[in-house]
Amino acid sequence: MGGDSGDSGSSGGRLEAILSDPVLSLHRRLLLAAGIETRLLIRLAAPAVIVYMVNYVMSMSTQIFSGHLGNLELAAASLGNTGIQIFAYGLMLGMGSAVETLCGQAYGAHKYSLLGVYLQRSTVLLTATAVPLVVLYAFSRPLLILLGQSPEIAAAASVFVCGLIPQLFAYAANFPIQKFLQAQSIVAPSAYISMAGVVLHVILSWVAVYKLRLGLLGASLVLSVSWWVIVASQFVYIVTSRRCRLTWNGFSWEAFAGLPEFLKLSTASAVMLCLETWYFQVLVLIAGLLPNPELALDALSVCMTISGWVFMISIGFNAAASIRVSNELGAKNPKSAAFSVVVVTMMSFIVSIVIAIVILCFRNYLSYIFTEGERVADAVADLCPLLATTIILNGIQPVLSGVAVGCGWQTFVAYVNVGCYYFVGVPAGILLGFKFGLGLGAKGIWAGMIGGTFMQTLILLWITIRTNWSKEVQKAQERLATWDEKKQPLLN
């Protein structure tokens, strides 16, 4: 999983040469190019999957430890994680994706010193964003009661959420650092650090919950501490590693320059990703309004958990697509960028097809991993065709979103997401679930919302197919020229 950060750049140049070679036959060109691109993508996607999977596992393990304190604590931790934390996670990760576009293109163009400035500028913006989120966390109790939660659960959830306040500022540093490293194809160190971090997190959680008996607050504080350990470790790597010697030149006052323009791209990135992250959370909320929601919610929670795990694989391919496209555009390699899009989309699609087939084969047994009960098992089996369809779409859609980030299309994709998800998918889901009452009602809601995802995927696919990659190279160069300012090191 290691490899030098220069491998991607040298391979990209070789890839462009092969794709442009008139001496080689088309079949030979495609075969050689596919071999190079596949190796690059696997080296990028595999560690990225591990990083996002570990993030998922850390929150889930905290929830499990909280569950051993009692049913109230489990409900509070679940509500804090899915109701409050997922909002902040999506927002901060989305804003951090602006760094992915700029750093990726700057690295491809060999403007290495710009990467450190982008990293610091994004961290400043995300830290400022974390401040109003602290207010949201502090007043989570009345907010949750306003949303219809019971006062007892809301009070316990607010205690849990208060312990996550330091995590907000860890997010503000973590996501820009991750994108900074990913843009240079340095992904393995983050994976190793994350794996070590989750081991430490489990040990600290056990001590806090079972030995020190610190309760919900202790469990959530440990999660915050674990995130800060990961952030600190990654920053130490950046400062000390020879692989970052060209891209990290110390702290600079330029981090505070050009913030309004940077905020514009960051906001577009946040809107784009948040609308995707929250979409299927809406499915669960709507299902809770059904006449007899208990069985529907049980079945949906099983399916959404499985979908969440598989989605981490898609997010890994999303990161790989963004890195490859942005690097090639910055390096003025239009054919390589286009070819990378085709290969990463095919790879992700094939993986999703295989997983969907496995799920359909074991549809009658999946629920027993999470809970007993034949009624829930039957309900999950009934929803599995929709789960398989969602997984297949998630094999394409996140990759195309990664391509959009690599090209800097965040604002356009945000508009597409609003239209397809919330003006088509959600109304169609409500109509099919409540008016026609398909399945448990949940089946109709899910089917309608898949329609929104399908429409969004088709639009992104159409736009990607029709893209003029030579023009995208030109836009990338113009973007870099706009952001290329003189840097004044503050501390080396």
Side-chain angles (χ1 to χ4, degrees):
M1 285 195 300
D4 191 88
S5 60
D7 289 352
S8 179
S10 60
S11 296
R14 193 161 73 251
L15 185 63
E16 189 74 11
I18 289 170
L19 290 169
S20 305
D21 192 344
V23 177
L24 295 172
S25 66
L26 177 62
H27 177 264
R28 181 67 177 162
R29 269 183 280 168
L30 292 178
L31 198 64
L32 289 172
I36 293 171
E37 187 62 35
T38 301
R39 286 194 297 275
L40 283 172
L41 288 170
I42 290 173
R43 191 185 304 158
L44 292 171
V49 169
I50 292 171
V51 170
Y52 290 112
M53 197 75 81
V54 166
N55 291 350
Y56 196 81
V57 168
M58 281 174 64
S59 291
M60 184 174 288
S61 63
T62 298
Q63 203 164 308
I64 291 169
F65 276 107
S66 300
H68 285 286
L69 295 169
N71 291 335
L72 174 64
E73 286 81 0
L74 176 60
S78 301
L79 189 59
N81 269 329
T82 58
I84 303 291
Q85 188 200 31
I86 193 75
F87 172 82
Y89 182 89
L91 181 65
M92 303 289 261
L93 176 61
M95 290 189 73
S97 295
V99 183
E100 210 164 351
T101 304
L102 296 170
C103 281
Q105 293 181 359
Y107 189 76
H110 305 296
K111 296 187 175 183
Y112 300 123
S113 58
L114 284 175
L115 273 75
V117 176
Y118 295 152
L119 164 62
Q120 294 168 65
R121 197 170 289 168
S122 181
T123 304
V124 168
L125 269 181
L126 265 68
T127 302
T129 304
V131 174
L133 288 175
V134 169
V135 178
L136 173 70
Y137 276 40
F139 290 94
S140 57
R141 182 174 177 272
L143 182 63
L144 291 170
I145 292 173
L146 187 66
L147 292 172
Q149 301 299 323
S150 75
E152 190 181 14
I153 294 177
S158 68
V159 172
F160 180 83
V161 167
C162 281
L164 296 179
I165 288 175
Q167 185 191 47
L168 283 172
F169 297 96
Y171 283 165
N174 178 74
F175 295 129
I177 286 173
Q178 271 188 4
K179 304 305 181 184
F180 168 86
L181 290 171
Q182 286 175 1
Q184 303 170 66
S185 301
I186 303 174
V187 281
S190 290
Y192 296 137
I193 290 168
S194 295
M195 286 188 288
V198 79
V199 173
L200 177 67
H201 173 68
V202 170
I203 294 169
L204 291 177
S205 295
W206 179 79
V207 172
V209 172
Y210 290 107
K211 294 298 179 184
L212 301 179
R213 301 190 181 279
L214 297 177
L216 272 177
L217 184 62
S220 57
L221 280 172
V222 165
L223 184 57
S224 293
V225 169
S226 300
W227 268 91
W228 270 111
V229 168
I230 289 173
V231 168
S233 301
Q234 289 181 123
F235 184 68
V236 168
Y237 176 84
I238 289 171
V239 173
T240 58
S241 173
R242 291 186 70 255
R243 296 171 70 183
C244 298
R245 67 189 183 279
L246 298 177
T247 53
W248 177 258
N249 297 317
F251 294 102
S252 168
W253 288 114
E254 285 300 314
F256 300 95
L259 287 176
E261 295 84 359
F262 207 90
L263 176 63
K264 185 178 178 182
L265 182 60
S266 295
T267 302
S269 300
V271 171
M272 185 192 92
L273 195 135
C274 286
L275 291 174
E276 294 178 9
T277 304
W278 300 335
Y279 187 48
F280 281 98
Q281 297 297 321
V282 173
L283 168 61
V284 178
L285 290 174
I286 297 173
L289 302 175
L290 291 167
N292 297 300
E294 187 176 341
L295 182 59
L297 286 174
D298 284 346
L300 274 175
S301 66
V302 171
C303 291
M304 287 298 104
T305 302
I306 295 169
S307 179
W309 278 102
V310 177
F311 191 67
M312 294 302 108
I313 300 173
S314 303
I315 290 293
F317 281 109
N318 168 289
S322 175
I323 295 164
R324 291 291 300 123
V325 170
S326 60
N327 282 176
E328 297 300 351
L329 291 180
K332 303 180 184 178
N333 295 330
K335 290 182 180 178
S336 298
F339 187 75
S340 180
V341 171
V342 174
V343 176
V344 70
T345 304
M346 289 301 298
M347 284 177 67
S348 182
F349 181 65
I350 290 168
V351 170
S352 67
I353 288 284
V354 171
I355 294 172
I357 290 171
V358 171
I359 282 172
L360 289 174
C361 289
F362 293 95
R363 58 192 291 187
N364 294 310
Y365 310 101
L366 288 175
S367 71
Y368 292 110
I369 299 171
F370 305 92
T371 183
E372 296 295 327
E374 200 170 314
R375 289 185 68 219
V376 176
D378 291 341
V380 169
D382 192 42
L383 289 173
C384 269
L386 293 175
L387 174 60
T389 305
T390 299
I391 286 170
I392 291 170
L393 286 174
N394 282 345
I396 305 172
Q397 184 271 334
V399 173
L400 297 178
S401 291
V403 172
V405 170
C407 294
W409 298 341
Q410 286 96 324
T411 303
F412 169 75
V413 177
Y415 286 123
V416 172
N417 287 355
V418 170
C420 294
Y421 288 164
Y422 297 96
F423 287 97
V424 177
V426 172
I430 292 171
L431 185 66
L432 291 174
F434 289 87
K435 180 73 173 175
F436 297 101
L438 294 181
L440 297 165
K443 196 173 182 180
I445 297 168
W446 198 348
M449 294 181 74
I450 283 176
T453 306
F454 183 69
M455 179 180 288
Q456 189 249 21
T457 304
L458 282 181
I459 292 172
L460 289 185
L461 199 57
W462 176 248
I463 295 299
T464 305
I465 290 169
R466 290 177 57 84
T467 296
N468 183 324
W469 292 100
S470 295
K471 283 187 177 179
E472 290 303 321
V473 165
Q474 186 180 343
K475 288 177 186 176
Q477 301 309 310
E478 290 171 356
R479 185 180 292 114
L480 289 171
T482 301
W483 291 95
D484 191 3
E485 297 138 340
K486 267 188 98 175
K487 286 150 290 300
Q488 302 166 6
L490 175 65
L491 180 66
N492 285 315

